[in-house]
Amino acid sequence: MFKTTLPPSRFTGSVLFKWSWLSLTIGILVGSASAFFLTSLSWVTEYRDLNNWIIIFLPIAGLCIGLAYHYWGGTANKGNNLLISEYHQPHLHIPFRMFPLVLIGTLITHLFGGSAGREGTAVQMGGTIADQFSKRYKIDSEDRKALLIMGISAGFASVFGTPLAGAIFALEVLIIKKRQLHLFVPSLMCAFVADITCRLWQVGHTHYEVSAPLPTLSISLLLYTIIAGIIFGVTALLFTKTGDLFSHLFKKGIKFPPLRPFVGGVIIASVVLISGSTRYIGLGIPTLIASFDSQLPTYDFIAKLLLTTFTLSAGFKGGEVTPLFFIGATLGNMLALFVPIPMSILVAMGFVAVFAGATNTPLACTVMGMELFGVEYGIVLAIACFAAYLCSGRKGIYSAQKIGKNKRNFYFRIRKKYLRNL
């Protein structure tokens, strides 16, 4: 049983050994789990692309997912929100069944043609693995918070190959206070171990390339970047609101939860088969890559937004982040028709900014953008991410997330001023 706690001010030898061992162990386990998940996801995606007829079974797949979560899911139904809730108000341990349920549910969703991502799955697997140590070693509630942070950072870092962003994301999504910033150390250690472990399993990550050099900094460039960031933020708000609307309609119209993904699957499969296009199902990585250097249809972002929010609201499993990348990148691609900033830079800005607005994590998204595209683009990525964050509304895609006071106060000041001017 561990008796040492993680102090906010200094590390003793026993504390350093304890958290180094936990970071190493959790990082290896989560990194290995992410490697298995990414490999399996690649296989089911390839199989679906070669056998599009399988989409007709999406309703049956949805029913199976719905029944599994209804009868065996329990608190695991809350997904990422359970991790956030347990951090702020710890009550119950994360049930281990969340791991297989979300893993299998996500693979089934992608195999049969749902539109979803992978971040939510990796984060939930990471949080589940990390929290098992709190039961095994009877760790107190404060140290358990550190474990949850480590699990989230490890899952995020290993699935995207961005360890620094993963470490920051875990703290930022939970709105860590200044006196808790010491938790960044185990978060960072665990994120790097998980990322290295995933790579050692020879699991690669998608490479994105910004071909255009950053234009000379000027007032006009900064203004256009802010305008683009505002548009990205409004789009993030639209994503959140659309998801809430679809969730409300499903809950109101279909009382028995397992039937929601069945009905949703019927509608999604019908839309895909009638349109004859599989462009907006799954992760959409080919379109994401193409958006950096080829002009795409202007409606790509809204089509992906509608299909993803509908898929997840119906009860299918997976994350929101890769679809948010798709939405932001294709929106940036469309904005290149009107905004005098090189296309690939606008795409990179949208890639991270819509995600920043939807998750209220502008700092993590800025760092992620620099890890993916290069530090030389940091200034425009930061401006776009923070503008999107401020314009994306009071709530994000994680309902259990507690929004920081600065954003809330900013929102109320703007609303008060606007109403007074009316």
Side-chain angles (χ1 to χ4, degrees):
M1 174 178 176
F2 287 124
K3 294 183 179 180
T4 53
T5 58
L6 187 63
S9 58
R10 63 188 179 89
F11 288 94
T12 64
S14 58
V15 169
L16 182 60
F17 172 79
K18 164 190 172 180
W19 290 100
S20 296
W21 182 84
L22 284 172
S23 297
L24 182 65
T25 305
I26 293 173
I28 291 174
L29 291 174
V30 177
S32 298
S34 292
F36 175 79
F37 169 55
L38 291 174
T39 302
S40 302
L41 186 58
S42 177
W43 183 86
V44 299
T45 300
E46 182 179 355
Y47 184 85
R48 187 199 65 230
D49 289 342
L50 295 175
N51 302 273
N52 284 333
W53 55 266
I54 201 172
I55 295 174
I56 63 175
F57 295 107
L58 183 62
I60 303 301
L63 180 62
C64 292
I65 294 173
L67 289 171
Y69 268 85
H70 183 68
Y71 288 108
W72 299 305
T75 56
N77 279 293
K78 297 180 180 179
N80 287 347
N81 285 312
L82 177 61
L83 302 180
I84 298 173
S85 298
E86 283 300 304
Y87 176 86
H88 291 295
Q89 294 179 323
H91 295 295
L92 302 170
H93 288 286
I94 308 299
F96 185 76
R97 60 180 173 272
M98 175 183 275
F99 184 111
L101 281 173
V102 72
L103 172 62
I104 296 172
T106 301
L107 293 176
I108 290 175
T109 296
H110 282 274
L111 176 62
F112 292 97
S115 175
R118 52 194 172 180
E119 156 272 341
T121 304
V123 166
Q124 289 174 50
M125 291 194 304
T128 301
I129 290 172
D131 199 43
Q132 304 313 303
F133 285 82
S134 65
K135 292 190 291 185
R136 176 69 175 81
Y137 296 107
K138 301 185 186 302
I139 289 176
D140 63 34
S141 60
E142 286 303 312
D143 282 358
R144 182 171 175 245
K145 291 182 177 182
L147 288 179
L148 290 175
I149 289 172
M150 291 160 64
I152 292 172
S153 67
F156 190 97
S158 56
V159 82
F160 291 123
T162 54
L164 186 55
I168 297 173
F169 175 83
L171 273 66
E172 196 173 20
V173 78
L174 297 171
I175 313 296
I176 300 299
K177 299 177 182 178
K178 289 183 179 179
R179 63 183 177 85
Q180 298 171 307
L181 288 179
H182 61 284
L183 297 175
F184 179 69
V185 176
S187 178
L188 185 63
M189 291 172 61
C190 202
F192 270 101
V193 171
D195 179 49
I196 293 170
T197 300
C198 190
R199 294 177 189 274
L200 288 175
W201 283 108
Q202 298 184 341
V203 176
H205 299 284
T206 306
H207 177 68
Y208 306 99
E209 184 175 355
V210 178
S211 57
L214 182 68
T216 303
L217 291 179
S218 63
I219 297 299
S220 61
L221 174 63
L222 297 180
L223 287 176
Y224 281 123
T225 301
I226 292 172
I227 292 172
I230 292 172
I231 296 173
F232 294 140
V234 172
T235 303
L237 175 62
L238 179 62
F239 184 93
T240 302
K241 294 297 184 182
T242 304
D244 291 342
L245 174 62
F246 283 144
S247 294
H248 173 74
L249 292 176
F250 272 113
K251 290 177 182 178
K252 183 179 180 180
I254 305 174
K255 300 303 181 181
F256 187 52
L259 285 180
R260 294 168 192 164
F262 175 82
V263 174
V266 171
I267 296 173
I268 295 169
S270 299
V271 169
V272 172
L273 294 173
I274 291 173
S275 67
S277 172
T278 58
R279 185 181 183 86
Y280 308 110
I281 63 175
L283 295 173
I285 297 297
T287 302
L288 252 178
I289 295 174
S291 67
F292 283 85
D293 51 28
S294 303
Q295 193 65 57
L296 303 178
T298 57
Y299 52 80
D300 269 358
F301 79 97
I302 194 66
K304 185 66 171 178
L305 185 151
L306 291 172
L307 196 60
T308 300
T309 52
F310 189 85
T311 297
L312 297 177
S313 298
F316 288 95
K317 299 304 170 183
E320 299 92 347
V321 173
T322 304
L324 287 169
F325 291 162
F326 183 113
I327 294 164
T330 52
L331 175 57
N333 183 280
M334 186 269 286
L335 289 179
L337 296 171
F338 314 100
V339 178
I341 296 178
M343 176 191 292
S344 59
I345 296 179
L346 269 172
V347 170
M349 289 162 52
F351 188 108
V352 291
V354 174
F355 172 32
T359 59
N360 294 301
T361 56
L363 180 58
C365 292
T366 300
V367 173
M368 183 179 201
M370 291 191 286
E371 286 186 290
L372 291 175
F373 311 123
V375 295
E376 62 269 28
Y377 302 103
I379 182 65
V380 292
L381 295 175
I383 293 172
C385 285
F386 278 90
Y389 164 72
L390 291 173
C391 298
S392 59
R394 294 176 57 197
K395 295 288 186 180
I397 57 176
Y398 306 133
S399 59
Q401 188 180 28
K402 295 185 178 181
I403 308 302
K405 291 183 179 179
N406 290 339
K407 181 177 183 180
R408 187 167 62 245
N409 291 341
F410 175 85
Y411 175 84
F412 281 121
R413 285 199 302 270
I414 293 296
R415 188 176 70 172
K416 183 178 180 181
K417 181 178 180 180
Y418 175 75
L419 292 176
R420 185 170 64 244
N421 291 338
L422 286 180

